[in-house]
Every structure is written in C-alpha cells, then in structure tokens.
Amino acid sequence: MPPLSCLLRFTSLSFRFLDKRISERTKTNYALCRSVASMDSGGGGSSSSSTCTLVLSGKSTAEKEIAESVKKNSAIKLPDNNEVSILLESEIAKLDKEEPFNVELFFNSLSTSRFGRFLIWSPRLTSTHDVVSHNFCELPIGAACVADVQYKGRGRSKNVWESPLGCLLFSFTVQMEDGRVVPLLQYVVSLAVTEAIKDVCHRKGLPFLDVKIKWPNDLYLNGLKVGGILCTSTYKSKKFNVSAGIGLNVNNEKPTTCLNAIIRELSAAAFQLRREEIIAAFFNKFENLYDLFINQGFQTLEELYHRTWLHSGQRVIIQENNGDQVVENVVTIQGLTSSGYLFAIGDDNQICELHPDGNSFALEHIFSFIYQHHEEHLKDLYCQQVAPQKVITLMHFIDFLLSSKRGIHQWPN
C-alpha cells in the first residue's frame, strides 16, 4: 500500500461558475392536518426540544410488521435529544389536504423489491438524513424517510440546505461491501433522480425537463440549482452503511426555481408533478441502476452519466499550492476516472485527476479503502490509544488518523 501522504495529495479544484446568488430567504407558512400536527409541539421554530412525529408504513405485510415492531420497541432515536413520537400510518386520519405526503399514492406507484418499501414520513423534521443515519441498524436496508419540511437540512461541506414546503426531501439506506466503489454511489443516485423526472414527465405527457448533473452531486435546470445529493457512510462488520439524502425543488419556487414552475412556463396543462410520484419513480429507477452498478460496474452507466452531466469538454481553472504561491492552470474535462473523480487534460497535455473542495464523502473513500485493508490492526490501535469503550466508526477512525503522529508506513502491508 502506498504511503498515506501519497493518498492525501489532493488537487484543489476551483470551479469558477457564476452561480446566481439568492439572498432572499424563504418564509413559508404552512398548516398540517390536525391528526398529525397535534403530535408536533415544535411549531415553526427549530428548538432542539421540539417533538418530531414519525409515521411508519410499509408496502406489504412484511414491511408493515416491521413498522409495528419498530414502534413497539421505540427503536428510532434522533440526535441532540430531540423527542420522537412514533405512529403507524393506520393510526392517523386520512389526510384531505394536498400538501402532506400521500403515502397511498407513493406505494401504488412503487414497483421495487427492496428500496422504498419501508417508509417513514414526518410533517416536520430536523433532517431526514439524521433519521436514517442515526438509526441505520434499526431499519431495514432500503428504508426511506421523507419529510414535508425539515429545519436542519444539510448539504456538502456542512452547508445548510433550504427546505421549504414543496421540496421533495428524503433519505434512504444502502449497504455495500466494496469500499472502492462506495463514492460512485452518489452518481448512481443523481442519475436515478434525473431519469425519474424524465419518466414521470413522459408518462404524464408533460414537457421534457432537461435536469443536468453538476459534478459531484448537484442538480441543475435552466442554469439554476434545483436539487442536491448527500451521501455519508460508516464502516461496521466489514460493510459500508451508506445514508443517501436527496433534496429536490418540486413545487417551491424559492430559493431558486422548481420543476413545476418550469412546466408552467412550457405548457398550459394544469397537471403538476407530485412528490409522491417522483420519489416512487426514483426508487424504481434506482433499484435497476444500482443492480447494474453492483453487478457490472459503473462503466455500464458512464455513457448515460456523461449525457446527463454539465461538464464534457468544459474548461476550468485549477489552483494548486506551489510553496508560497498559488499556481493556476486551465484544463479541459474529459470524463470520470475509475475512482469517480474528474479526468482532465491540460493545455500542455498533462493528465489530471481533479478532486472537489470540501467533499467529505470523497475523503471517506480514501480512508475507507485503508480501513478495509487494516481493520483489525486499526481497531486495536484505536481502542488502545483513544476510546476503549467507544464503538468505532469510519469517521471516528478518520478523526483519529488525522490527529495521530503514526504514519501508515508503520502498519502492516
């Protein structure tokens, strides 16, 4: 294995996109059905003491039995000591309003065998990502959590994700064994979102929406950001537990624009996209794409990915530290490397592999590979020096490794 210093020799990539800055913050007033809202004591604030209502449901008898077991055991917890009220979908009154998530419509549109069949819905939540990542081992693989509103949504580099009413906000669980391909999962998720939008528009006879992928994990329409992907992972029992989160502007025109706003510009049709149909189409597409990805590799999806992203032939400026100076070079993007980074060629024909700034998932990929190949030794080292009673996770290890004076060359090859 190469020294750690070689693995951490990042190129600082600066995409000089002139993204439109939106200063206006969305202030949304909303009302929830009394049968659910009465269980929420948090109002519109973001107090850590507020109660989050989670409604559990399943597509088949098997998933419904899991929901009953989860509720009985009060298995779902939230970080920051947020209180949780757990209900079964059968225990709440039918929702007459258009705004809350329609569970029945979602399941009727879902045709998967694994993903999305166990659903957690909340009218108001800190973050769907918190629910699935914090309770990964208590939920079936493929479980999904969707919220009407979330008030602590996050994106890459700990950025805050605006989450007004009308957004499609959901996260789900995936378990993988090969750490080398874990970072590529976010690209499969991005593709599934764009393909799902195309599918729903086609079936409903709506105008084509050319949603594009801005590498590594943003979604753009007509030059404006309409969505984003966040994937995080931990390593446990020789498996990578991945929590994938998606935010998509479906019916909220702020803070940028949304799918339905563009449809109204292109067509006089009264029909609008619904969150339930998009998320169901997403899981239908994702399950097929994921199977191809795992069984045949990402190369089977690469042509479709390149047709969908924004960057083929794009010229960008990279910045690299050279002593006390910052050197800038112009390169042309050609595609993706086998590791999922940008493959580019400079004007001097030098080949470059470009990494994004601040993408913790890319950093996890490097440490995941090291962790996979040194698991037992690292556990002993970590537990002896840092936290003998603490459950080790990938991020615990990364924190330890970054602060440790021991080099990778001291560990067995």
Side-chain angles (χ1 to χ4, degrees):
M1 174 170 286
L4 180 62
S5 59
C6 293
L7 291 173
L8 294 180
R9 198 169 293 155
F10 290 106
T11 298
S12 176
L13 172 63
S14 175
F15 274 166
R16 296 197 168 178
F17 293 111
L18 297 178
D19 292 339
K20 184 177 180 182
R21 293 185 176 273
I22 305 298
S23 60
E24 180 180 352
R25 294 283 179 173
T26 303
K27 295 181 180 179
T28 307
N29 296 320
Y30 58 94
L32 299 172
C33 179
R34 288 184 178 179
S35 61
V36 177
S38 62
M39 303 301 295
D40 257 339
S41 61
S46 57
S47 171
S48 60
S49 62
S50 62
T51 299
C52 292
T53 300
L54 304 179
V55 181
L56 313 184
S57 55
K59 183 172 175 65
S60 71
T61 301
E63 287 88 29
K64 291 176 181 177
E65 290 176 352
I66 294 174
E68 292 173 358
S69 175
V70 169
K71 181 193 174 184
K72 179 180 179 181
N73 297 321
S74 299
I76 299 180
K77 310 295 182 183
L78 288 178
D80 301 326
N81 297 319
N82 280 295
E83 294 184 9
V84 179
S85 173
I86 301 177
L87 296 170
L88 299 178
E89 200 268 336
S90 58
E91 295 175 335
I92 65 173
K94 292 296 181 182
L95 304 178
D96 297 325
K97 294 177 65 64
E98 288 296 320
E99 293 292 2
F101 190 84
N102 189 321
V103 175
E104 183 178 4
L105 175 60
F106 165 69
F107 281 134
N108 287 342
S109 304
L110 187 71
S111 59
T112 61
S113 60
R114 289 164 292 162
F115 294 102
R117 296 178 63 89
F118 179 88
L119 183 71
I120 303 169
W121 167 69
S122 177
R124 178 182 170 278
L125 191 59
T126 53
S127 163
T128 61
H129 208 83
D130 283 347
V131 173
V132 298
S133 61
H134 199 68
N135 301 279
F136 194 101
C137 296
E138 284 69 43
L139 301 174
I141 301 302
C145 177
V146 61
D148 292 340
V149 173
Q150 61 181 16
Y151 55 87
K152 287 187 179 179
R154 55 194 174 98
R156 289 175 60 235
S157 307
K158 298 182 181 179
N159 292 328
V160 175
W161 179 265
E162 291 287 344
S163 308
L165 199 66
C167 271
L168 173 56
L169 309 162
F170 70 101
S171 300
F172 67 102
T173 61
V174 186
Q175 195 167 67
M176 303 175 69
E177 297 183 357
D178 188 352
R180 293 168 296 182
V181 301
V182 169
L184 299 174
L185 180 69
Q186 60 189 333
Y187 306 150
V188 181
V189 173
S190 300
L191 268 181
V193 175
T194 59
E195 291 298 296
I197 295 169
K198 294 175 187 175
D199 178 67
V200 176
C201 287
H202 176 73
R203 286 189 287 107
K204 300 295 182 180
L206 295 172
F208 172 72
L209 296 180
D210 193 19
V211 178
K212 293 291 188 180
I213 298 169
K214 178 183 173 183
W215 184 86
N217 47 19
D218 287 335
L219 301 171
Y220 272 63
L221 178 59
N222 292 355
L224 295 174
K225 183 173 178 177
V226 293
I229 315 297
L230 174 68
C231 293
T232 61
S233 69
T234 58
Y235 186 69
K236 183 177 182 181
S237 302
K238 300 185 183 298
K239 293 183 184 296
F240 292 91
N241 297 334
V242 182
S243 302
I246 295 92
L248 182 66
N249 295 353
V250 176
N251 201 34
N252 56 295
E253 296 190 33
K254 302 293 183 180
T256 56
T257 188
C258 65
L259 305 186
N260 281 334
I262 302 301
I263 287 178
R264 287 192 292 269
E265 292 177 5
L266 299 175
S267 173
F271 183 86
Q272 295 190 22
L273 294 172
R274 295 194 53 143
R275 294 177 299 152
E276 299 87 347
E277 293 176 317
I278 293 177
I279 185 176
F282 165 82
F283 283 121
N284 295 341
K285 292 291 183 180
F286 176 78
E287 189 162 280
N288 292 331
L289 295 174
Y290 180 75
D291 287 343
L292 285 172
F293 168 55
I294 293 299
N295 296 326
Q296 300 179 35
F298 187 74
Q299 61 269 21
T300 59
L301 306 176
E302 203 160 2
E303 181 181 349
L304 176 60
Y305 186 83
H306 287 158
R307 290 202 307 266
T308 310
W309 78 341
L310 291 168
H311 307 299
S312 293
Q314 188 176 50
R315 290 172 64 80
V316 298
I317 296 174
I318 62 171
Q319 297 176 335
E320 190 169 10
N321 292 326
N322 185 8
D324 295 333
Q325 294 183 328
V326 176
V327 179
E328 293 189 347
N329 295 291
V330 178
V331 299
T332 302
I333 298 173
Q334 305 294 321
L336 292 173
T337 68
S338 59
S339 300
Y341 301 120
L342 288 182
F343 172 67
I345 298 179
D347 291 343
D348 57 357
N349 292 323
Q350 183 177 355
I351 296 175
C352 304
E353 183 181 72
L354 306 180
H355 300 239
D357 286 337
N359 190 341
S360 61
F361 199 55
L363 182 60
E364 284 185 35
H365 162 46
I366 293 174
F367 286 110
S368 297
F369 184 75
I370 300 172
Y371 192 15
Q372 251 188 325
H373 289 78
H374 298 285
E375 179 184 4
E376 294 306 320
H377 183 78
L378 289 173
K379 279 186 177 180
D380 292 341
L381 183 65
Y382 179 92
C383 292
Q384 289 170 13
Q385 296 192 18
V386 183
Q389 305 301 322
K390 196 171 185 180
V391 176
I392 187 169
T393 70
L394 179 59
M395 292 312 298
H396 289 149
F397 162 61
I398 290 175
D399 291 338
F400 163 64
L401 191 60
L402 289 174
S403 61
S404 175
K405 294 182 180 179
R406 299 175 68 102
I408 192 72
H409 61 277
Q410 295 176 280
W411 302 334
N413 293 320

